[in-house]
C-alpha cells in the first residue's frame, strides 16, 4: 500500500497534468517536438532521419538509439503520445527492479518505498516530466538496472543494462569507463575488461566514427567552454552562480536524511560504485546543466550507491518522514504549477487554456494539415509535436532551412496563446498581418485564437 500510494501520487500529480497539457498543445518545440518527430520518422530504410523542426539528422544531434523503443508505438498512436507514454513507462519501471528485490526478500518494504519515492518524486524527476520528452530521463531505468546488476554481480544483466544506458545519451559512456575502474577495484578483472572494451568501442563510435560516417555532429562542448574567455575566475563564478548552487543544494538535500542515518550507524555506501557519479557531476557542473532532465541520472546513480546499505538495514521511520518533508517542500513550485492544470484548466497554464473555442480552432487546423500532407507548413512552436507525423513542418522563430524556404501552409496561435519564442507576441501579430494580406493567400481560419492560411509564406515576412 505505501508503494502504491507513491505511484498514485506520481501518476495523479505529475503524469496526468503533463498529459493534459500535451493534449492542449502546451509544450514548445524543444525535446517533445524533436523526439516525437524522431519516433515518427525512424525506419530501417532511414535509420537517421532528418528532423525538420530541429534542422538536423537526429543522431547527428545526440546519439540516443533508445528512441527505437518508441518507434513501434508511434505506428499505432500519434508519435507525441508514443513518446509521452514511453517516457512515463521508463520512469515508472525504475521501481520494478527494486520491487523484484523486495519480493525476493533482499530489500525491506520501507527501503523499497524510500527508494521509489526518491526516484519518482525527486524535484529533478518531476521537473524532467514537466519538460517532456528526453532519453536522459529514460536513462533512470538503465541506471537502476546497472546498479542492481553491479551489486548482485549479475554479469549478463550488467552488460545488457550498460548497452541500454549508453543508448540513452553519449555522455553515459564515461560512466562505463568509471564502472570499469570500480569492477577492477572489486577484483573482477575479466568483467572489467569486457565493460572497458564496450565503453571504449562506444566512445570510438560516438566521437570518432559517427562524425566520419554520418557527417558533422552538433558540438555541445561550447557549454563546457562558456565563460573561459574571461579567465578562470569568471569561468568558475559563472558555474557557481546562485541559480546553479541552489539546484545543486536541492539535489544534495534529498540525500541528507539517508546520509545522516548511514553516518550515525557507521554504514558505508558502495564507494566503488559512486565513481560513476564523477563524470556525471563533472559534465553537469561545467555545462551548468542542472535543470529539467539533467539531474535524473545523478539521482538514480547516487541512489544505487546506497543500495547495499538498504539491503542490509531497513531505514528508520525518521529517515522516511524527513525525506518525505524534503520531497514535499522542494517540489512545491513544480507541484503548484502542475496541480493548477487540474484545478483551473480554463486559465492554467495561461498560454494554453482549455477553452472550447481555442481547442476547436486548433483541432480544425490540425485536422486540415493532417489531411493535406503536401507542402511545407509553418507552425506555432507548440504545434510541432502535435503534427510530428507530418512531413515538412517548421516552427515560427525556430530553425529554418538555409535556403529561403517558401511555405505553403501557416498555422499559428494568436498571442497571448501558443508559443512564439524567440519572437515577441508583437512580432507574431505583425507577421499575421503580412500573411493575411499576401497575394494569393487563402485564409482558412482567422478567429480570436488561430490564424491558418494557404498560399506562399516565409518565416520572416
Amino acid at each position: 500500500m505505501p508503494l502504491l500510494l507513491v505511484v498514485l501520487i506520481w501518476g495523479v500529480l505529475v503524469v496526468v497534468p503533463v498529459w493534459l497539457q500535451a493534449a492542449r498543445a502546451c509544450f514548445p518545440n524543444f525535446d517533445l517536438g524533436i523526439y516525437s518527430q524522431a519516433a515518427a520518422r525512424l525506419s530501417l530504410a532511414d535509420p537517421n532521419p532528418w528532423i525538420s523542426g530541429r534542422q538536423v539528422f537526429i543522431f547527428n544531434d545526440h546519439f540516443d538509439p533508445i528512441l527505437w523503443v518508441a518507434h513501434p508505438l508511434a505506428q499505432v498512436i500519434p508519435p507525441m503520445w508514443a513518446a509521452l507514454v514511453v517516457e512515463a513507462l521508463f520512469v515508472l519501471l525504475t521501481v520494478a527492479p527494486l520491487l523484484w528485490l523486495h519480493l525476493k526478500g533482499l530489500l525491506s518494504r520501507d527501503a523499497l518505498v524510500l527508494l521509489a519515492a526518491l526516484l519518482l518524486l525527486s524535484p529533478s524527476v518531476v521537473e524532467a516530466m514537466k519538460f517532456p520528452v528526453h532519453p536522459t530521463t529514460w536513462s533512470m531505468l538503465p541506471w537502476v538496472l546497472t546498479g542492481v546488476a553491479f551489486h548482485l554481480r549479475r554479469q549478463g544483466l550488467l552488460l545488457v543494462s550498460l548497452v541500454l544506458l549508453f543508448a540513452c545519451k553519449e555522455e553515459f559512456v564515461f560512466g562505463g569507463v568509471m564502472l570499469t575502474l570500480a569492477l577492477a577495484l572489486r577484483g573482477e578483472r575479466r568483467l572489467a575488461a569486457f565493460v572497458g572494451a564496450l565503453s571504449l568501442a562506444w566512445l570510438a563510435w560516438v566521437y570518432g566514427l559517427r562524425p566520419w560516417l554520418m557527417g558533422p555532429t552538433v558540438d555541445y562542448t561550447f557549454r563546457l567552454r562558456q565563460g573561459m574567455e574571461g579567465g578562470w575566475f569568471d569561468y568558475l563564478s559563472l558555474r557557481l552562480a546562485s541559480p546553479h548552487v541552489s539546484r545543486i543544494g536541492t539535489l544534495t538535500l534529498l540525500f541528507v536524511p539517508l546520509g545522516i542515518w548511514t553516518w550515525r550507524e557507521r554504514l558505508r555506501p558502495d564507494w566503488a560504485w559512486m565513481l560513476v557519479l564523477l563524470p556525471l557531476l563533472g559534465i553537469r557542473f561545467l555545462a551548468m546543466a542542472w535543470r529539467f532532465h539533467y539531474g535524473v541520472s545523478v539521482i538514480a546513480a547516487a541512489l544505487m550507491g546506497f543500495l547495499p546499505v538498504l539491503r542490509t538495514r531497513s531505514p528508520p521511520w525518521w529517515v522516511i518522514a524527513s525525506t518525505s518533508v524534503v520531497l514535499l517542500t522542494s517540489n512545491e513550485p513544480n507541484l503548484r504549477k502542475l496541480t493548477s492544470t487540474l484545478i483551473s484548466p480554463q486559465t492554467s497554464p495561461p498560454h494554453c487554456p482549455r477553452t472550447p473555442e481555442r481547442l476547436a480552432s486548433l483541432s480544425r487546423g490540425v485536422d486540415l494539415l493532417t489531411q493535406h500532407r503536401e507542402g511545407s507548413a509553418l507552425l506555432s512552436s507548440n504545434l510541432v509535436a502535435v503534427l510530428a507525423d507530418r512531413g515538412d513542418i517548421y516552427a515560427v522563430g525556430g530553425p529554418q532551412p538555409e535556403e529561403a524556404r517558401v511555405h505553403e501552409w501557416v498555422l499559428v496561435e494568436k498571442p497571448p496563446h501558443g508559443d512564439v519564442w524567440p519572437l515577441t507576441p508583437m512580432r507574431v501579430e505583425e507577421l499575421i498581418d503580412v500573411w493575411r494580406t499576401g497575394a494569393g493567400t487563402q485564409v482558412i481560419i482567422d478567429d480570436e485564437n488561430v490564424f491558418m492560411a494557404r498560399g506562399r509564406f516565409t518565416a520572416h515576412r
Side-chain angles (χ1 to χ4, degrees), residues 390-407:
R390 188 189 189 279
D392 261 359
I393 53 176
Y394 305 86
V396 177
Q400 301 292 327
E402 291 184 2
E403 73 274 12
R405 173 64 64 91
V406 177
H407 304 279

Side-chain angles (χ1 to χ4, degrees), residues 241-278:
S242 56
H244 306 312
V245 173
S246 174
R247 293 186 179 101
I248 294 170
T250 299
L251 190 151
T252 305
L253 187 62
L254 295 174
F255 294 90
V256 168
L258 192 57
I260 292 175
W261 171 58
T262 55
W263 175 74
R264 288 179 57 183
E265 298 295 321
R266 300 182 185 276
L267 303 171
R268 299 179 62 182
D270 191 324
W271 296 113
W273 166 265
M274 290 296 192
L275 290 171
V276 302
L277 286 172
L278 295 180

